[in-house]
Amino acid sequence: MNSDTSALQAAPRTFARCGNAQCPKAAECLRHWIAEHDTDLHKTVMTVNLKALPALNEPCSYFLPIKQIRVAWGVKNLFNNLPYRQAKAIKAHIIGHFGRTKYYRFYREEQYVSPEDQEYIRKTFLRYGIRQVPAFDRYTDIFKWS
């Protein structure tokens, strides 16, 4: 794992960091990794109280594996290669599911499209007979914070 600044900037201020370097799972724990590689983006952050941690040989309820997910950004070009009637129907279906506000947050790239939401959109395309995989504007990998 490298210290990718863009991934660190996405770390929520309220995400609890852990500074327990003696933990046997420290190298695999996102909380510890972020604590080691944090930036000065936030002046204050949340941390795990080291005095409240379990003994070294006991499981830790704060452990969170380092895991990244691929998220999509933007739906501006999602319907470009579809016939107008199908595009209109699919867009209405997607807005009906996510709501107008969330859809336009996707559209303006204010919110990423999670893997689960990408899958819902893919299945909606299939439901309307479109076999091509939906093409979002761009993709990034982000840490899974929960």
Side-chain angles (χ1 to χ4, degrees), residues 11-116:
R13 184 179 61 79
T14 57
F15 179 77
R17 285 102 162 127
C18 181
N20 185 5
Q22 272 71 52
C23 177
K25 290 194 167 191
E28 307 163 40
C29 183
L30 182 58
R31 295 183 192 287
H32 182 74
W33 192 88
I34 290 296
E36 292 285 309
H37 296 91
D38 223 338
T39 67
D40 63 356
L41 177 67
H42 304 296
K43 300 303 176 209
T44 61
V45 294
M46 211 164 127
T47 61
V48 174
N49 180 353
L50 296 179
K51 295 188 185 281
L53 292 175
L56 290 179
N57 58 350
E58 294 180 24
C60 178
S61 62
Y62 298 104
F63 174 76
L64 189 62
I66 298 171
K67 181 179 176 185
Q68 289 190 317
I69 56 173
R70 179 159 291 276
V71 298
W73 296 90
V75 295
K76 288 180 182 167
N77 302 307
L78 200 58
F79 309 109
N80 285 359
N81 298 324
L82 303 182
Y84 176 75
R85 283 191 153 168
Q86 282 182 305
K88 188 176 176 181
I90 293 170
K91 182 178 178 181
H93 189 102
I94 290 171
I95 289 173
H97 175 76
F98 293 114
R100 191 166 296 280
T101 300
K102 188 172 182 178
Y103 174 81
Y104 282 102
R105 284 187 179 143
F106 290 158
Y107 185 87
R108 292 185 302 266
E109 296 188 25
E110 296 170 355
Q111 181 176 346
Y112 63 76
V113 185
S114 71
E116 297 80 17

